[in-house]
Amino acid sequence: MASASKPLTGTKVFLILVAFFGVVIGVNVTMAKLAIATLPGTDVDSPYAAGLTYDREISAAQDQAARKWQVNAHIERRTDGGATLQVDARDAAGQPMTGLKFGGRLERPTDKRADLAVGLAEAGIGIYRGNAAAVAPGQWDLVIEGEARGERVFLSRNRVILN
């Protein structure tokens, strides 16, 4: 019994090489597109603009420290998947502060697209409360900003874990 095998010709080798490199290039292009679409790799949209505001941020942080406010936040994830955020704001003498406008954000450390804004309303004297819907469990950065007369007077950023 003789086996009838086809000979390896130059055309066949050329087609195998074209197919191999076509698959490699196709996979590389697909992976590059997916990588760019899922994680842009930047923390800020414009590093140049962020650099220009750096001195103002330092000055604002020094002003905030000089006020010696006591601002405590408590966030709790509910069983329905939402979260409740409560902020207790007191001045240097320990007196509740009213009339401020507080806002909160839950930021995912790994994906800016998952960030959630939490609107806070004054629920009592010096107590601000708000809700966020559909908060996934895991690590979040809790950012709290306070404004008075249209100017930011308080900024806090803390890592929290919500189960």
PDB file of all heavy atoms in Angstrom, residues 60-72 88-97 100 153-154:
ATOM      1  N   ALA A  60      -5.916  75.873  48.639  1.00  0.00           N
ATOM      2  CA  ALA A  60      -7.246  75.493  49.138  1.00  0.00           C
ATOM      3  C   ALA A  60      -7.124  74.464  50.263  1.00  0.00           C
ATOM      4  O   ALA A  60      -7.868  74.528  51.251  1.00  0.00           O
ATOM      5  CB  ALA A  60      -8.096  74.939  48.001  1.00  0.00           C
ATOM      6  N   ALA A  61      -6.177  73.536  50.152  1.00  0.00           N
ATOM      7  CA  ALA A  61      -5.980  72.535  51.207  1.00  0.00           C
ATOM      8  C   ALA A  61      -5.466  73.197  52.485  1.00  0.00           C
ATOM      9  O   ALA A  61      -5.880  72.821  53.598  1.00  0.00           O
ATOM     10  CB  ALA A  61      -5.009  71.459  50.736  1.00  0.00           C
ATOM     11  N   GLN A  62      -4.590  74.179  52.362  1.00  0.00           N
ATOM     12  CA  GLN A  62      -4.092  74.899  53.542  1.00  0.00           C
ATOM     13  C   GLN A  62      -5.216  75.693  54.202  1.00  0.00           C
ATOM     14  O   GLN A  62      -5.327  75.724  55.432  1.00  0.00           O
ATOM     15  CB  GLN A  62      -2.931  75.812  53.154  1.00  0.00           C
ATOM     16  CG  GLN A  62      -1.678  75.047  52.797  1.00  0.00           C
ATOM     17  CD  GLN A  62      -0.594  75.916  52.168  1.00  0.00           C
ATOM     18  OE1 GLN A  62      -0.866  77.012  51.689  1.00  0.00           O
ATOM     19  NE2 GLN A  62       0.627  75.402  52.170  1.00  0.00           N
ATOM     20  N   ASP A  63      -6.066  76.345  53.400  1.00  0.00           N
ATOM     21  CA  ASP A  63      -7.213  77.081  53.942  1.00  0.00           C
ATOM     22  C   ASP A  63      -8.171  76.134  54.662  1.00  0.00           C
ATOM     23  O   ASP A  63      -8.693  76.457  55.729  1.00  0.00           O
ATOM     24  CB  ASP A  63      -7.957  77.825  52.831  1.00  0.00           C
ATOM     25  CG  ASP A  63      -7.141  78.966  52.240  1.00  0.00           C
ATOM     26  OD1 ASP A  63      -6.145  79.379  52.862  1.00  0.00           O
ATOM     27  OD2 ASP A  63      -7.518  79.429  51.139  1.00  0.00           O
ATOM     28  N   GLN A  64      -8.408  74.959  54.079  1.00  0.00           N
ATOM     29  CA  GLN A  64      -9.301  73.972  54.693  1.00  0.00           C
ATOM     30  C   GLN A  64      -8.728  73.498  56.027  1.00  0.00           C
ATOM     31  O   GLN A  64      -9.465  73.398  57.019  1.00  0.00           O
ATOM     32  CB  GLN A  64      -9.485  72.784  53.750  1.00  0.00           C
ATOM     33  CG  GLN A  64     -10.335  71.668  54.330  1.00  0.00           C
ATOM     34  CD  GLN A  64     -10.544  70.538  53.346  1.00  0.00           C
ATOM     35  OE1 GLN A  64     -10.706  70.768  52.152  1.00  0.00           O
ATOM     36  NE2 GLN A  64     -10.532  69.318  53.839  1.00  0.00           N
ATOM     37  N   ALA A  65      -7.446  73.227  56.079  1.00  0.00           N
ATOM     38  CA  ALA A  65      -6.824  72.779  57.329  1.00  0.00           C
ATOM     39  C   ALA A  65      -6.897  73.868  58.403  1.00  0.00           C
ATOM     40  O   ALA A  65      -7.089  73.572  59.585  1.00  0.00           O
ATOM     41  CB  ALA A  65      -5.380  72.375  57.077  1.00  0.00           C
ATOM     42  N   ALA A  66      -6.769  75.135  58.003  1.00  0.00           N
ATOM     43  CA  ALA A  66      -6.816  76.245  58.962  1.00  0.00           C
ATOM     44  C   ALA A  66      -8.206  76.400  59.577  1.00  0.00           C
ATOM     45  O   ALA A  66      -8.327  76.870  60.714  1.00  0.00           O
ATOM     46  CB  ALA A  66      -6.390  77.545  58.278  1.00  0.00           C
ATOM     47  N   ARG A  67      -9.257  76.020  58.849  1.00  0.00           N
ATOM     48  CA  ARG A  67     -10.622  76.125  59.383  1.00  0.00           C
ATOM     49  C   ARG A  67     -10.885  75.105  60.491  1.00  0.00           C
ATOM     50  O   ARG A  67     -11.776  75.282  61.305  1.00  0.00           O
ATOM     51  CB  ARG A  67     -11.641  75.957  58.257  1.00  0.00           C
ATOM     52  CG  ARG A  67     -11.774  77.180  57.382  1.00  0.00           C
ATOM     53  CD  ARG A  67     -12.959  77.062  56.450  1.00  0.00           C
ATOM     54  NE  ARG A  67     -12.687  76.229  55.297  1.00  0.00           N
ATOM     55  CZ  ARG A  67     -12.083  76.644  54.191  1.00  0.00           C
ATOM     56  NH1 ARG A  67     -11.677  77.885  54.087  1.00  0.00           N
ATOM     57  NH2 ARG A  67     -11.882  75.827  53.187  1.00  0.00           N
ATOM     58  N   LYS A  68     -10.158  73.989  60.494  1.00  0.00           N
ATOM     59  CA  LYS A  68     -10.269  72.934  61.507  1.00  0.00           C
ATOM     60  C   LYS A  68     -11.688  72.391  61.648  1.00  0.00           C
ATOM     61  O   LYS A  68     -12.172  72.127  62.748  1.00  0.00           O
ATOM     62  CB  LYS A  68      -9.751  73.430  62.864  1.00  0.00           C
ATOM     63  CG  LYS A  68      -8.290  73.780  62.836  1.00  0.00           C
ATOM     64  CD  LYS A  68      -7.800  74.221  64.191  1.00  0.00           C
ATOM     65  CE  LYS A  68      -6.331  74.621  64.060  1.00  0.00           C
ATOM     66  NZ  LYS A  68      -5.813  75.178  65.301  1.00  0.00           N
ATOM     67  N   TRP A  69     -12.366  72.243  60.505  1.00  0.00           N
ATOM     68  CA  TRP A  69     -13.700  71.666  60.527  1.00  0.00           C
ATOM     69  C   TRP A  69     -13.610  70.179  60.847  1.00  0.00           C
ATOM     70  O   TRP A  69     -12.628  69.513  60.538  1.00  0.00           O
ATOM     71  CB  TRP A  69     -14.387  71.836  59.190  1.00  0.00           C
ATOM     72  CG  TRP A  69     -14.818  73.243  58.891  1.00  0.00           C
ATOM     73  CD1 TRP A  69     -14.717  74.329  59.705  1.00  0.00           C
ATOM     74  CD2 TRP A  69     -15.416  73.694  57.693  1.00  0.00           C
ATOM     75  NE1 TRP A  69     -15.213  75.439  59.086  1.00  0.00           N
ATOM     76  CE2 TRP A  69     -15.659  75.072  57.837  1.00  0.00           C
ATOM     77  CE3 TRP A  69     -15.778  73.078  56.515  1.00  0.00           C
ATOM     78  CZ2 TRP A  69     -16.249  75.833  56.846  1.00  0.00           C
ATOM     79  CZ3 TRP A  69     -16.357  73.834  55.526  1.00  0.00           C
ATOM     80  CH2 TRP A  69     -16.597  75.205  55.688  1.00  0.00           C
ATOM     81  N   GLN A  70     -14.666  69.668  61.429  1.00  0.00           N
ATOM     82  CA  GLN A  70     -14.783  68.244  61.708  1.00  0.00           C
ATOM     83  C   GLN A  70     -15.916  67.706  60.835  1.00  0.00           C
ATOM     84  O   GLN A  70     -17.085  67.903  61.154  1.00  0.00           O
ATOM     85  CB  GLN A  70     -15.085  68.023  63.189  1.00  0.00           C
ATOM     86  CG  GLN A  70     -14.060  68.629  64.113  1.00  0.00           C
ATOM     87  CD  GLN A  70     -14.616  68.850  65.512  1.00  0.00           C
ATOM     88  OE1 GLN A  70     -15.610  68.264  65.894  1.00  0.00           O
ATOM     89  NE2 GLN A  70     -13.968  69.721  66.255  1.00  0.00           N
ATOM     90  N   VAL A  71     -15.548  67.089  59.750  1.00  0.00           N
ATOM     91  CA  VAL A  71     -16.541  66.556  58.815  1.00  0.00           C
ATOM     92  C   VAL A  71     -16.397  65.040  58.794  1.00  0.00           C
ATOM     93  O   VAL A  71     -15.353  64.514  58.433  1.00  0.00           O
ATOM     94  CB  VAL A  71     -16.357  67.150  57.398  1.00  0.00           C
ATOM     95  CG1 VAL A  71     -17.370  66.550  56.443  1.00  0.00           C
ATOM     96  CG2 VAL A  71     -16.466  68.660  57.432  1.00  0.00           C
ATOM     97  N   ASN A  72     -17.452  64.360  59.238  1.00  0.00           N
ATOM     98  CA  ASN A  72     -17.455  62.905  59.278  1.00  0.00           C
ATOM     99  C   ASN A  72     -18.483  62.380  58.292  1.00  0.00           C
ATOM    100  O   ASN A  72     -19.595  62.886  58.224  1.00  0.00           O
ATOM    101  CB  ASN A  72     -17.782  62.407  60.690  1.00  0.00           C
ATOM    102  CG  ASN A  72     -16.719  62.813  61.685  1.00  0.00           C
ATOM    103  OD1 ASN A  72     -15.547  62.621  61.439  1.00  0.00           O
ATOM    104  ND2 ASN A  72     -17.142  63.383  62.805  1.00  0.00           N
ATOM    105  N   ASP A  88     -21.765  64.550  58.527  1.00  0.00           N
ATOM    106  CA  ASP A  88     -21.987  65.369  59.720  1.00  0.00           C
ATOM    107  C   ASP A  88     -20.901  66.441  59.735  1.00  0.00           C
ATOM    108  O   ASP A  88     -19.711  66.123  59.849  1.00  0.00           O
ATOM    109  CB  ASP A  88     -21.906  64.482  60.969  1.00  0.00           C
ATOM    110  CG  ASP A  88     -22.171  65.239  62.254  1.00  0.00           C
ATOM    111  OD1 ASP A  88     -22.668  66.377  62.199  1.00  0.00           O
ATOM    112  OD2 ASP A  88     -21.870  64.683  63.332  1.00  0.00           O
ATOM    113  N   ALA A  89     -21.291  67.706  59.596  1.00  0.00           N
ATOM    114  CA  ALA A  89     -20.332  68.803  59.479  1.00  0.00           C
ATOM    115  C   ALA A  89     -20.400  69.706  60.704  1.00  0.00           C
ATOM    116  O   ALA A  89     -21.464  70.211  61.053  1.00  0.00           O
ATOM    117  CB  ALA A  89     -20.626  69.611  58.215  1.00  0.00           C
ATOM    118  N   ARG A  90     -19.243  69.896  61.338  1.00  0.00           N
ATOM    119  CA  ARG A  90     -19.133  70.765  62.510  1.00  0.00           C
ATOM    120  C   ARG A  90     -17.942  71.698  62.337  1.00  0.00           C
ATOM    121  O   ARG A  90     -16.953  71.339  61.718  1.00  0.00           O
ATOM    122  CB  ARG A  90     -18.978  69.939  63.782  1.00  0.00           C
ATOM    123  CG  ARG A  90     -20.180  69.038  64.012  1.00  0.00           C
ATOM    124  CD  ARG A  90     -20.070  68.258  65.305  1.00  0.00           C
ATOM    125  NE  ARG A  90     -21.258  67.456  65.517  1.00  0.00           N
ATOM    126  CZ  ARG A  90     -22.359  67.894  66.098  1.00  0.00           C
ATOM    127  NH1 ARG A  90     -22.437  69.125  66.540  1.00  0.00           N
ATOM    128  NH2 ARG A  90     -23.404  67.098  66.260  1.00  0.00           N
ATOM    129  N   ASP A  91     -18.061  72.894  62.921  1.00  0.00           N
ATOM    130  CA  ASP A  91     -16.964  73.860  62.817  1.00  0.00           C
ATOM    131  C   ASP A  91     -15.889  73.544  63.861  1.00  0.00           C
ATOM    132  O   ASP A  91     -15.955  72.540  64.565  1.00  0.00           O
ATOM    133  CB  ASP A  91     -17.484  75.293  62.944  1.00  0.00           C
ATOM    134  CG  ASP A  91     -18.116  75.586  64.291  1.00  0.00           C
ATOM    135  OD1 ASP A  91     -17.945  74.783  65.241  1.00  0.00           O
ATOM    136  OD2 ASP A  91     -18.791  76.629  64.403  1.00  0.00           O
ATOM    137  N   ALA A  92     -14.890  74.414  63.988  1.00  0.00           N
ATOM    138  CA  ALA A  92     -13.769  74.177  64.892  1.00  0.00           C
ATOM    139  C   ALA A  92     -14.216  74.092  66.348  1.00  0.00           C
ATOM    140  O   ALA A  92     -13.588  73.416  67.157  1.00  0.00           O
ATOM    141  CB  ALA A  92     -12.721  75.271  64.723  1.00  0.00           C
ATOM    142  N   ALA A  93     -15.305  74.767  66.700  1.00  0.00           N
ATOM    143  CA  ALA A  93     -15.820  74.742  68.072  1.00  0.00           C
ATOM    144  C   ALA A  93     -16.759  73.559  68.318  1.00  0.00           C
ATOM    145  O   ALA A  93     -17.277  73.404  69.423  1.00  0.00           O
ATOM    146  CB  ALA A  93     -16.548  76.055  68.367  1.00  0.00           C
ATOM    147  N   GLY A  94     -17.006  72.739  67.297  1.00  0.00           N
ATOM    148  CA  GLY A  94     -17.881  71.585  67.443  1.00  0.00           C
ATOM    149  C   GLY A  94     -19.348  71.881  67.205  1.00  0.00           C
ATOM    150  O   GLY A  94     -20.203  71.027  67.436  1.00  0.00           O
ATOM    151  N   GLN A  95     -19.666  73.081  66.717  1.00  0.00           N
ATOM    152  CA  GLN A  95     -21.053  73.460  66.449  1.00  0.00           C
ATOM    153  C   GLN A  95     -21.458  73.001  65.041  1.00  0.00           C
ATOM    154  O   GLN A  95     -20.672  73.124  64.094  1.00  0.00           O
ATOM    155  CB  GLN A  95     -21.216  74.983  66.549  1.00  0.00           C
ATOM    156  CG  GLN A  95     -20.920  75.532  67.931  1.00  0.00           C
ATOM    157  CD  GLN A  95     -21.845  74.944  68.978  1.00  0.00           C
ATOM    158  OE1 GLN A  95     -23.059  74.852  68.789  1.00  0.00           O
ATOM    159  NE2 GLN A  95     -21.264  74.511  70.094  1.00  0.00           N
ATOM    160  N   PRO A  96     -22.672  72.470  64.873  1.00  0.00           N
ATOM    161  CA  PRO A  96     -23.130  72.037  63.545  1.00  0.00           C
ATOM    162  C   PRO A  96     -23.146  73.209  62.555  1.00  0.00           C
ATOM    163  O   PRO A  96     -23.498  74.327  62.923  1.00  0.00           O
ATOM    164  CB  PRO A  96     -24.542  71.521  63.788  1.00  0.00           C
ATOM    165  CG  PRO A  96     -24.654  71.324  65.249  1.00  0.00           C
ATOM    166  CD  PRO A  96     -23.685  72.242  65.900  1.00  0.00           C
ATOM    167  N   MET A  97     -22.750  72.916  61.327  1.00  0.00           N
ATOM    168  CA  MET A  97     -22.723  73.943  60.275  1.00  0.00           C
ATOM    169  C   MET A  97     -23.900  73.740  59.336  1.00  0.00           C
ATOM    170  O   MET A  97     -24.123  72.637  58.834  1.00  0.00           O
ATOM    171  CB  MET A  97     -21.411  73.881  59.503  1.00  0.00           C
ATOM    172  CG  MET A  97     -20.211  74.236  60.345  1.00  0.00           C
ATOM    173  SD  MET A  97     -18.692  74.373  59.402  1.00  0.00           S
ATOM    174  CE  MET A  97     -18.547  72.775  58.663  1.00  0.00           C
ATOM    175  N   LEU A 100     -24.436  75.015  54.074  1.00  0.00           N
ATOM    176  CA  LEU A 100     -23.430  74.592  53.112  1.00  0.00           C
ATOM    177  C   LEU A 100     -24.075  73.692  52.065  1.00  0.00           C
ATOM    178  O   LEU A 100     -25.137  73.116  52.286  1.00  0.00           O
ATOM    179  CB  LEU A 100     -22.301  73.840  53.807  1.00  0.00           C
ATOM    180  CG  LEU A 100     -21.488  74.622  54.830  1.00  0.00           C
ATOM    181  CD1 LEU A 100     -20.515  73.693  55.539  1.00  0.00           C
ATOM    182  CD2 LEU A 100     -20.736  75.754  54.154  1.00  0.00           C
ATOM    183  N   VAL A 153     -15.089  74.894  49.692  1.00  0.00           N
ATOM    184  CA  VAL A 153     -14.428  75.149  50.966  1.00  0.00           C
ATOM    185  C   VAL A 153     -14.008  73.855  51.666  1.00  0.00           C
ATOM    186  O   VAL A 153     -13.325  73.903  52.688  1.00  0.00           O
ATOM    187  CB  VAL A 153     -15.331  75.978  51.911  1.00  0.00           C
ATOM    188  CG1 VAL A 153     -15.526  77.384  51.375  1.00  0.00           C
ATOM    189  CG2 VAL A 153     -16.668  75.289  52.131  1.00  0.00           C
ATOM    190  N   PHE A 154     -14.410  72.715  51.118  1.00  0.00           N
ATOM    191  CA  PHE A 154     -14.049  71.437  51.732  1.00  0.00           C
ATOM    192  C   PHE A 154     -13.909  70.376  50.655  1.00  0.00           C
ATOM    193  O   PHE A 154     -14.715  70.297  49.731  1.00  0.00           O
ATOM    194  CB  PHE A 154     -15.117  70.996  52.750  1.00  0.00           C
ATOM    195  CG  PHE A 154     -14.765  69.720  53.445  1.00  0.00           C
ATOM    196  CD1 PHE A 154     -13.901  69.709  54.514  1.00  0.00           C
ATOM    197  CD2 PHE A 154     -15.286  68.516  52.998  1.00  0.00           C
ATOM    198  CE1 PHE A 154     -13.558  68.518  55.137  1.00  0.00           C
ATOM    199  CE2 PHE A 154     -14.949  67.327  53.613  1.00  0.00           C
ATOM    200  CZ  PHE A 154     -14.082  67.322  54.693  1.00  0.00           C
TER     201      PHE A 154
END
